[in-house]
Amino acid sequence: MNPPRTPRVLPALGPDEHFPMPPWSDTVLGDGLRVVAVKAPSVPLVEVRLRTPLPTGPNHPPALREVLARALLHGRAPAWPGAALTAGLDSTGLTLSGTTSAAGLLPLLESLATALTPRRYDDDVCRAAVRRVAAHSALTRVQPATHAREALLAHAYGDAFHRLLPSDEDLAAVTAGRLTALHSQLMGTEGATLVLVGDLAPEAAIRNLPAELSQWPSPAHADTSPARTPTITGKGIASVPRPGAVQSQILLAAPAFGQSDPRFPALSLAGCALGGSFSSRLALGIRETRGIAYRTSATLDEHRGNTFLLVQADTATRATGAALREIQTELGRFAADPPSSTEIHAAREFIIGATAAGAASQAGMAEFLLTSMASGFGPEWLHGHVAALRDVTRTDVVNVAQEFYAPARFTGVVIGAEQSADLAASCG
């Protein structure tokens, strides 16, 4: 049975169609750190985000990066009631995230500046951080989503794939000396961004930053080698056994482009029409009409700076082959019968509505800004992206759907307990 072609009617967006940015200030400090402060006083809090590039490389493997993120804030808790500061990693950088009352902004920033200052890590701090990383990795590694993502990236990127979680052997090689060297050699203001969003006066907040943030020393031996962005080289669809799994996961990937490409708004709308919302083709086709998937989606994803299309579904073991075939069939239909004006309108309303809802909170706004600035854009990108979505024509969406969603462009994996002949016939 073919899925219905008419998406569900979504409620119209509210009257705030202009999507204005609140007052903000954008400046670069004397040491090169870019700072953006946004006034959003919905509650008397301030969200703080600082991101600095910290790519994976031969001399700074994932295990070393993970331990540094855990050790960085040791003994650096903000000296203000209720204030919190955490550190996290993605494939290309390290982010410090904080929340505090408006009155506690300066103490939190002082803690953040202290954490960034190069220092010598001792053995006790290193060993404690290694234990925390090992415990977290052990818990994360057994999650089906982690197993599935690692399988997909290993198949798609081959030799360019770096494991998402460090092994025990990798962690055993981390020493206090290597930790000290990584901090002093790589962490600096080159490409770093500080975002402040909340109950603040933007220019005053920047003017009153701790002196340490405008004097953040540059790395003594910065890695100036160009970042290597991997490309998808995998072919076909691989079947990956997972004994004992109670359901199967299907993940398909195809090359795409990032936010800097002028076709990005059209690609976003195409992906949403295919599988980005509850009224998309995949959701209506394989989940609701045929009932052969618990969850399905089509999104844009990223691995070490490389953007790719990701189509995925979770399904029962007995329905795995049927679900995979239906996804492949739907991709073929999507390229041959691209989204209608009605589908594009529904996708546009969904994305703009989700963007508005996401950016409505202080934390959401801070995350949006940090993500866009990490990609080389300024605070105005958020407003401009919404305007660009409104300007996309059906021809724009049809062109990217036909070029980028052709089934032959996708590679991927199917992870499950049983590798039946039915499933094997669908892979290849």
Side-chain angles (χ1 to χ4, degrees), residues 136-194:
H136 177 265
S137 298
L139 290 174
T140 305
R141 190 174 293 114
V142 298
Q143 298 297 320
T146 303
H147 185 84
R149 186 170 178 81
E150 286 207 323
L152 172 68
L153 296 178
H155 176 75
Y157 290 98
D159 294 340
F161 166 65
H162 290 173
R163 280 182 300 188
L164 302 179
L165 298 169
S167 67
D168 291 341
E169 292 76 16
D170 294 335
L171 289 172
V174 176
T175 64
R178 295 184 68 193
L179 210 56
T180 299
L182 178 67
H183 189 152
S184 63
Q185 293 175 2
L186 283 186
M187 288 190 60
T189 57
E190 181 70 32
T193 302
L194 173 65

Side-chain angles (χ1 to χ4, degrees), residues 161-426:
F161 166 65
H162 290 173
R163 280 182 300 188
L164 302 179
L165 298 169
S167 67
D168 291 341
E169 292 76 16
D170 294 335
L171 289 172
V174 176
T175 64
R178 295 184 68 193
L179 210 56
T180 299
L182 178 67
H183 189 152
S184 63
Q185 293 175 2
L186 283 186
M187 288 190 60
T189 57
E190 181 70 32
T193 302
L194 173 65
V195 174
L196 312 174
V197 179
D199 186 9
L200 54 80
E203 293 184 359
I206 293 175
R207 189 166 57 248
N208 295 324
L209 288 173
E212 292 86 347
L213 286 176
S214 61
Q215 301 168 9
W216 187 3
S218 298
H221 306 286
D223 184 353
T224 57
S225 58
R228 296 181 59 188
T229 301
T231 56
I232 291 179
T233 57
K235 304 294 182 184
I237 298 173
S239 180
V240 181
R242 182 173 169 79
V246 296
Q247 66 182 37
S248 299
Q249 293 168 295
I250 301 168
L251 294 90
L252 307 180
F257 48 76
Q259 290 174 268
S260 61
D261 193 293
R263 297 170 294 175
F264 184 78
L267 191 67
S268 299
L269 292 177
C272 187
L274 176 64
S277 76
F278 56 84
S279 65
S280 64
R281 289 193 183 186
L282 286 175
L284 292 175
I286 71 170
R287 184 179 184 277
E288 299 201 15
T289 302
R290 297 202 57 190
I292 53 176
Y294 307 115
R295 181 186 67 88
T296 181
S297 65
T299 57
L300 288 166
D301 209 314
E302 183 269 343
H303 177 60
R304 294 175 54 207
N306 180 260
T307 302
F308 62 91
L309 305 176
L310 174 62
V311 175
Q312 55 184 330
D314 296 340
T315 181
T317 299
R318 66 179 181 282
T320 304
L324 176 58
R325 288 192 296 275
E326 187 62 27
I327 290 174
Q328 293 169 317
T329 300
E330 191 56 60
L331 285 172
R333 290 189 194 121
F334 196 68
D337 179 18
S340 66
S341 297
T342 301
E343 290 176 287
I344 294 170
H345 174 74
R348 191 185 340 257
E349 295 289 286
F350 182 84
I351 293 179
I352 293 177
T355 302
S361 70
Q362 295 168 335
M365 174 67 77
E367 295 294 338
F368 268 119
L369 291 174
L370 196 72
T371 300
S372 61
M373 295 176 71
S375 299
F377 300 98
E380 67 280 359
W381 183 85
L382 185 59
H383 175 80
H385 180 57
V386 172
L389 287 170
R390 297 188 191 283
D391 291 340
V392 171
T393 67
R394 180 169 186 262
T395 299
D396 297 332
V397 177
V398 168
N399 287 341
V400 296
Q402 292 177 334
E403 179 177 355
F404 290 93
Y405 284 94
R409 298 187 73 248
F410 283 82
T411 185
V413 293
V414 178
I415 303 98
E418 297 179 8
Q419 306 305 305
S420 64
D422 176 57
L423 174 60
S426 300

